[in-house]
Amino acid sequence: MPAPRSSTRPAHRSPTRLAAAAVILAALTTVTAPTATATASPRRDTAPRTPATDATFQHPAYFMPLDNNPQAISDIVADSGEKEFLLAFVLDSGGCTPAWDGDSTHPVAADTQVAAEVNAIRAAGGDVSVSFGGYNGTELGATCGSSTALAAAYQQVVDKYKLTRIDLDWEGDDLDANMAVRWGAIKTLEQDNPGLSVSLTIPMTTVGLPDTGKDEIRQAIADGARIDTVNIMDFDFGLTSGTETEAAETVADDVNTQLQSLYGWDAATAWAHTSIQLMNGHTDQPSELFTQDTFNSLLAFAQSNHVAQLSYWDLNRDRACDPGVPHNWADGACSSVDQDPFDFTKIITKYTG
């Protein structure tokens, strides 16, 4: 099996802040609970809920609220219609301390800036999930030492933002590592937070799940931890032939077969537990390119299979690059393709499950 190709998550470490917006939003220090209720009965089973449909969170866009010149939430909502956000990333800033981007100057415990963004999203009728991990930085599960300590660190974030959803983006050397600690923590978190929805983000290969991703799922099942949605990074595996649309569809089809085998599901149930995550414009692989037409085609594919979610990395890049300024191949703050602002976000917000 080919080695998995993980996303580098463009310009993860190059923050450019909207200072004026931050000053305005910093005054909002208390996170308000989401208006939508998610109060399912406590679950103790190893498999995800069936069916895994969440009608209020079907097309979340990844968004870095502190890095890569983030757009104002008011502009995103008004100009794209997006109200569902996967906020990235919470990491360890040292000593099992959750912090945005792992930055010791932005610990979750003292945060007001991201809290204000969450309030603004919920005031607009939307909601958020928080993503732990990413390709760069130190994931909490690598350093917290025990399932108890890790569960407490995750719980701090859940409590801070009154979360009903979290995303586990364990990439690079965090994938298939410290699994007993990580899944033990998730089992505790699920027991202590009935109704909490958990997605696991996994990098893809040209034949679907890497062996490391299968190991994660098997360990979760063995440890009694529930994965509600398997979020496949349907990019960065390298296009070797055909079109980007065909390649992404083939990988998703392969994952569907693999999930049927791992969980004993039928195809429809496996799709209902799958989130397809795309990447707009240039990806980290020079052979790959996702245009607006690609997104539209994959929107139709997702709709026809009734997947749990259609997502993408990331909203910060949903704008054209300034031609007068040098940019990376897969720039963190623009798509490197010809587009109008929020073209890609407007496409995924059409997904209805």
Side-chain angles (χ1 to χ4, degrees):
M1 175 177 290
R5 304 302 296 268
S6 300
S7 167
T8 58
R9 298 300 168 120
H12 186 179
R13 289 297 185 187
S14 302
T16 304
R17 309 249 161 73
L18 291 177
V23 170
I24 295 171
L25 292 169
L28 301 171
T29 59
T30 303
V31 177
T32 56
T35 55
T37 58
T39 54
S41 300
R43 301 286 298 195
R44 297 294 183 266
D45 54 340
T46 58
R49 302 179 184 93
T50 304
T53 54
D54 184 350
T56 64
F57 212 69
Q58 294 181 322
H59 48 73
Y62 275 87
F63 182 60
M64 302 188 78
L66 299 183
D67 291 350
N68 293 326
N69 193 21
Q71 303 95 322
I73 293 298
S74 57
D75 290 342
I76 296 170
V77 173
D79 296 340
S80 76
E82 182 62 278
K83 300 178 184 179
E84 303 169 14
F85 296 81
L86 276 160
L87 302 181
F89 290 102
V90 169
L91 292 156
D92 187 4
S93 64
C96 193
T97 304
W100 287 99
D101 302 324
D103 186 344
S104 61
T105 65
H106 288 284
V108 165
D111 169 61
T112 58
Q113 190 171 346
V114 178
E117 302 278 34
V118 173
N119 282 344
I121 292 164
R122 288 178 176 156
D127 204 3
V128 306
S129 175
V130 168
S131 187
F132 295 91
Y135 190 76
N136 297 310
T138 302
E139 205 280 320
L140 287 158
T143 51
C144 283
S146 70
S147 293
T148 300
L150 180 57
Y154 287 157
Q155 185 68 57
Q156 183 184 144
V157 183
V158 170
D159 290 344
K160 174 75 176 187
Y161 303 109
K162 297 180 173 61
L163 299 175
T164 58
R165 307 171 182 89
I166 62 169
D167 176 52
L168 308 171
D169 193 336
W170 300 334
E171 297 184 46
D173 57 7
D174 290 317
L175 190 63
D176 201 7
N178 296 329
M179 289 194 297
V181 169
R182 285 189 165 102
W183 289 117
I186 296 304
K187 181 180 180 180
T188 298
L189 203 66
E190 291 170 342
Q191 290 173 340
D192 292 345
N193 300 270
L196 181 72
S197 181
V198 176
S199 60
L200 174 65
T201 295
I202 304 179
M204 290 295 101
T205 73
T206 55
V207 292
L209 294 168
D211 285 341
T212 50
K214 295 174 189 175
D215 286 347
E216 289 283 359
I217 294 171
R218 292 188 186 104
Q219 184 79 30
I221 294 171
D223 289 350
R226 194 190 63 251
I227 302 170
D228 294 288
T229 306
V230 176
N231 182 30
I232 65 171
M233 293 169 55
D234 209 353
F235 58 91
D236 269 1
F237 48 78
L239 183 64
T240 57
S241 63
T243 69
E244 196 66 61
T245 297
E246 291 169 340
E249 290 178 355
T250 297
V251 167
D253 283 333
D254 289 341
V255 171
N256 183 266
T257 300
Q258 292 161 339
L259 290 179
Q260 290 181 57
S261 176
L262 287 163
Y263 279 108
W265 292 331
D266 60 22
T269 304
W271 285 122
H273 292 293
T274 302
S275 173
I276 296 178
Q277 180 193 158
L278 310 176
M279 183 170 176
N280 58 318
H282 284 189
T283 78
D284 305 293
Q285 295 294 317
S287 62
E288 296 180 353
L289 179 65
F290 287 81
T291 65
Q292 294 92 326
D293 286 344
T294 315
F295 264 48
N296 275 314
S297 296
L298 291 170
L299 167 65
F301 174 79
Q303 200 74 58
S304 68
N305 287 294
H306 306 292
V307 300
Q309 295 173 346
L310 180 64
S311 177
Y312 87 104
W313 177 268
D314 64 25
L315 213 159
N316 303 66
R317 306 179 70 243
D318 198 4
R319 51 196 163 192
C321 296
D322 180 351
V325 178
H327 292 279
N328 299 320
W329 172 261
D331 198 278
C334 57
S335 66
S336 298
V337 297
D338 186 21
Q339 69 159 102
D340 291 325
F342 304 120
D343 269 358
F344 291 94
T345 308
K346 289 176 182 177
I347 294 169
I348 71 159
T349 57
K350 296 177 183 178
Y351 183 67
T352 58

